[in-house]
Amino acid sequence: MEQLRIPGPTPCPNEVLQAMSRQMINHRGPQFGQMLNDITAKLKQVFQTKSDVFLLTGSGTGGLEAAIVNTLSPGDKVLSVSIGVFGERFGAIAGQFGAEVIPLRFEWGTAADADAVRQALEAEPKIKAVLVTHNETSTGVTNDLEAISSVVKEFDKLLLVDAISSLGSINLPVDDWHCDVVVTGSQKGWMIPPGLAMVSVSQEAWQAQAKARMPRFYWDFTQAKSYLEKATAQTPWTPAISVVFGLSVSLDMMLKEGLANIFARHARVARATRNGAKSLGLSLFAEERHASNTVTAVAAADGLDTKKMLKILREEYKVILSGGQQKLDGKIFRIGHLGWVTEDDIKAVISAIKVVLPQAGFRSS
Ligand SMILES: Cc1ncc(COP(=O)(O)O)c(C=O)c1O
């Protein structure tokens, strides 16, 4: 069997694949309405929130755009905390819609420093919102969102969170950490294909939404809420029904496993990945104390040609891993370990890497 170990899309369990092959149903009929209500209630458990949660059809980036356009107006100042490719993207979306973006960048491979966030908020009192990536997939780093959130809330600012590659895999208690809009994507820890973004919206975010003037149509949370609250629950626009069938099954699997067990499994699998890489003489790209439990970035060193390694792994061993993005192209490779993954999967990946390393020029020092 192929080992698809990129940080999303991730493999789907057979139960999910079977559910997704069902015949279409009326997305404005009672069967879909009941399923949508049931899914929404279960999503709230995984988000650990009592606030609104919406199912949007689109990829994660669509969810990030929704977070921006529903809470901000052109000219608003936002602090964009960035530790990699996806932090940059979140800031770029805000800029594209006319926000005045104040970047707060940290070296790739490290985590954001909450004290630096405090200094930035002290320096510019007019900042309205803080954008932060919980888990930076491009570098394999998880930010200390709890610490960042407590600083952001000292200053009473809105906190918009990209949790696309963390929610459902790494603990993120949305209400306890006072996150205003949190975005995740179906192809990550949810064990289903791409096609859905899920977002939570706090009371403070709704207050901002009432005044926000960035253009919005498809992503309007007011529409999502009014359709969800109809006598027959709906989404405003035609949803990715097959992916919703999959989510209905995967959520049951997740709640049966239990959130604490899911987080512990991801921590174990991540540890096995890091230890496995180190046992081969490789070094980790991310600072280990902030290393992600959903994706591990491994540094290319000692002659290792990562592109050659990825090609041999793919063609000869059916192990699919990711390279580095943008300035990390050729400098790292990444192993995704989120969603439907066990320690045995990682053992298979590490064994294949071990065989291929010398063929890809690696000389263990
Ligand atoms: C942290 C993070 N943010 C944003 C995205 C973009 O999501 P999508 O490709 O679903 O639009 C990704 C996907 O790789 C991600 O990992």
Side-chain angles (χ1 to χ4, degrees), residues 163-195:
I164 290 174
S165 62
S166 58
L167 212 136
S169 308
I170 299 174
N171 190 30
L172 199 183
V174 167
D175 286 357
D176 286 354
W177 291 358
H178 308 286
C179 301
D180 293 302
V181 182
V182 177
V183 180
T184 182
S186 56
Q187 78 277 22
K188 303 290 186 180
W190 302 87
M191 307 186 289
I192 55 175

Coordinates of all heavy atoms in Angstrom, one line a residue, residues 163-195:
A163 N -5.6 27.4 12.0 CA -5.4 26.1 12.7 C -5.6 25.0 11.6 O -6.1 23.9 12.0 CB -6.3 25.9 13.9
I164 N -5.3 25.3 10.4 CA -5.6 24.3 9.3 C -4.9 23.0 9.5 O -5.5 21.9 9.3 CB -5.3 25.0 7.9 CG1 -6.3 26.1 7.7 CG2 -5.3 23.9 6.8 CD1 -6.0 26.9 6.4
S165 N -3.6 23.0 9.9 CA -2.9 21.7 10.1 C -2.8 21.3 11.6 O -1.9 20.5 11.9 CB -1.6 21.8 9.4 OG -0.8 22.8 10.0
S166 N -3.6 21.9 12.4 CA -3.5 21.5 13.8 C -4.9 21.0 14.4 O -4.9 20.0 15.1 CB -3.0 22.6 14.7 OG -3.8 23.8 14.6
L167 N -5.9 21.7 14.1 CA -7.2 21.4 14.8 C -7.7 20.0 14.5 O -7.6 19.5 13.4 CB -8.3 22.4 14.4 CG -9.2 22.7 15.6 CD1 -9.5 24.1 15.8 CD2 -10.5 21.9 15.4
G168 N -8.0 19.3 15.6 CA -8.4 17.9 15.5 C -7.2 17.0 15.6 O -7.4 15.8 15.7
S169 N -6.0 17.5 15.7 CA -4.8 16.7 15.9 C -4.0 17.1 17.1 O -3.4 16.3 17.7 CB -3.9 16.8 14.6 OG -4.6 16.5 13.5
I170 N -4.0 18.4 17.3 CA -3.2 19.0 18.4 C -4.2 19.8 19.2 O -5.1 20.5 18.7 CB -2.1 20.0 17.9 CG1 -1.1 19.2 17.0 CG2 -1.4 20.7 19.0 CD1 -0.1 20.1 16.3
N171 N -4.1 19.8 20.6 CA -5.1 20.4 21.4 C -5.2 21.9 21.1 O -4.2 22.6 21.0 CB -4.7 20.3 22.9 CG -5.7 20.7 23.8 OD1 -6.9 20.6 23.5 ND2 -5.4 21.2 25.0
L172 N -6.4 22.4 20.9 CA -6.7 23.8 20.7 C -8.1 24.1 21.2 O -9.1 24.0 20.5 CB -6.6 24.2 19.2 CG -6.5 25.6 18.8 CD1 -6.5 25.9 17.3 CD2 -7.4 26.6 19.5
P173 N -8.1 24.3 22.6 CA -9.4 24.6 23.2 C -9.8 26.1 22.8 O -9.4 27.0 23.4 CB -9.2 24.5 24.7 CG -7.7 24.6 24.8 CD -7.0 24.3 23.5
V174 N -10.7 26.2 21.8 CA -11.0 27.5 21.2 C -11.5 28.5 22.2 O -11.1 29.7 22.3 CB -11.9 27.3 20.0 CG1 -12.5 28.6 19.6 CG2 -11.2 26.6 18.9
D175 N -12.5 28.1 23.1 CA -13.1 29.0 24.0 C -12.1 29.3 25.2 O -11.9 30.5 25.5 CB -14.3 28.4 24.6 CG -15.5 28.4 23.6 OD1 -15.3 29.0 22.5 OD2 -16.6 27.9 24.0
D176 N -11.4 28.3 25.7 CA -10.5 28.6 26.8 C -9.3 29.5 26.4 O -8.8 30.2 27.2 CB -9.8 27.3 27.3 CG -10.8 26.4 28.1 OD1 -11.9 26.9 28.4 OD2 -10.5 25.3 28.5
W177 N -9.0 29.4 25.1 CA -7.9 30.3 24.6 C -8.4 31.5 23.9 O -7.6 32.3 23.3 CB -6.9 29.5 23.7 CG -6.2 28.4 24.4 CD1 -6.2 28.1 25.8 CD2 -5.2 27.4 23.8 NE1 -5.3 27.0 26.0 CE2 -4.7 26.6 24.9 CE3 -4.8 27.2 22.5 CZ2 -3.8 25.6 24.7 CZ3 -3.9 26.2 22.3 CH2 -3.4 25.4 23.4
H178 N -9.7 31.8 24.1 CA -10.3 33.0 23.6 C -9.9 33.4 22.1 O -9.5 34.5 21.8 CB -9.9 34.2 24.5 CG -10.2 33.9 25.9 ND1 -11.4 33.9 26.5 CD2 -9.3 33.6 26.9 CE1 -11.4 33.6 27.7 NE2 -10.1 33.4 28.1
C179 N -10.0 32.4 21.3 CA -9.7 32.6 19.9 C -11.0 33.1 19.2 O -12.1 32.5 19.4 CB -9.2 31.3 19.2 SG -7.7 30.7 20.0
D180 N -10.9 34.1 18.4 CA -12.2 34.7 17.8 C -12.6 34.0 16.5 O -13.8 33.8 16.3 CB -12.0 36.2 17.6 CG -11.8 36.9 18.9 OD1 -12.7 36.7 19.7 OD2 -10.7 37.5 19.2
V181 N -11.7 33.8 15.6 CA -12.0 33.0 14.4 C -10.9 32.0 14.2 O -9.7 32.3 14.3 CB -12.2 33.9 13.1 CG1 -12.6 33.0 11.9 CG2 -13.2 35.0 13.3
V182 N -11.3 30.7 14.2 CA -10.4 29.6 14.0 C -10.7 28.9 12.7 O -11.9 28.5 12.6 CB -10.4 28.7 15.2 CG1 -9.4 27.5 15.0 CG2 -10.0 29.5 16.5
V183 N -9.7 28.6 11.9 CA -10.0 28.0 10.6 C -9.2 26.7 10.5 O -8.1 26.6 10.9 CB -9.5 28.9 9.5 CG1 -9.7 28.3 8.1 CG2 -10.1 30.3 9.6
T184 N -9.9 25.6 10.0 CA -9.2 24.4 9.7 C -9.7 23.9 8.4 O -10.6 24.4 7.8 CB -9.5 23.3 10.9 OG1 -8.7 22.2 10.5 CG2 -10.9 23.0 11.0
G185 N -9.0 22.8 7.9 CA -9.3 22.3 6.5 C -9.4 20.8 6.5 O -8.7 20.1 7.2
S186 N -10.4 20.3 5.7 CA -10.8 18.9 5.8 C -9.6 17.9 5.5 O -9.6 16.8 6.0 CB -12.0 18.7 4.9 OG -11.7 19.1 3.5
Q187 N -8.7 18.3 4.6 CA -7.7 17.3 4.1 C -6.6 17.1 5.1 O -5.6 16.4 4.7 CB -7.2 17.8 2.7 CG -6.1 18.9 2.8 CD -6.7 20.3 2.8 OE1 -7.8 20.5 3.3 NE2 -5.9 21.3 2.4
K188 N -6.7 17.7 6.3 CA -5.6 17.6 7.2 C -5.9 16.5 8.3 O -5.9 15.3 7.9 CB -5.3 18.9 7.9 CG -5.1 20.1 6.9 CD -3.7 19.9 6.2 CE -3.4 21.1 5.3 NZ -2.1 21.0 4.7
G189 N -6.1 16.9 9.5 CA -6.3 15.8 10.5 C -7.7 15.2 10.5 O -7.9 14.3 11.4
W190 N -8.5 15.5 9.6 CA -9.9 15.1 9.7 C -10.2 13.8 9.0 O -11.3 13.3 8.9 CB -10.8 16.2 9.2 CG -10.7 17.5 9.9 CD1 -9.8 18.5 9.7 CD2 -11.4 17.9 11.1 NE1 -9.9 19.4 10.7 CE2 -10.9 19.1 11.5 CE3 -12.4 17.3 11.8 CZ2 -11.4 19.8 12.6 CZ3 -12.9 18.0 13.0 CH2 -12.4 19.2 13.3
M191 N -9.1 13.3 8.3 CA -9.2 11.9 7.6 C -10.2 11.9 6.5 O -10.8 10.9 6.2 CB -9.6 10.8 8.6 CG -8.6 10.8 9.8 SD -9.0 9.4 10.9 CE -10.5 9.8 11.7
I192 N -10.4 13.1 5.8 CA -11.3 13.2 4.7 C -10.6 14.0 3.6 O -9.6 14.6 3.9 CB -12.7 13.8 5.1 CG1 -12.5 15.2 5.7 CG2 -13.5 12.9 6.0 CD1 -13.8 15.9 6.0
P193 N -11.1 13.9 2.4 CA -10.4 14.6 1.3 C -10.5 16.2 1.4 O -11.3 16.7 2.2 CB -11.2 14.2 0.0 CG -11.9 12.9 0.4 CD -12.2 13.1 1.9
P194 N -9.8 16.9 0.5 CA -10.0 18.3 0.5 C -11.4 18.7 0.1 O -12.1 17.9 -0.6 CB -9.0 18.8 -0.6 CG -8.2 17.6 -1.0 CD -8.9 16.4 -0.5
G195 N -11.8 19.9 0.4 CA -13.1 20.4 -0.1 C -13.8 21.2 0.9 O -14.8 22.0 0.6

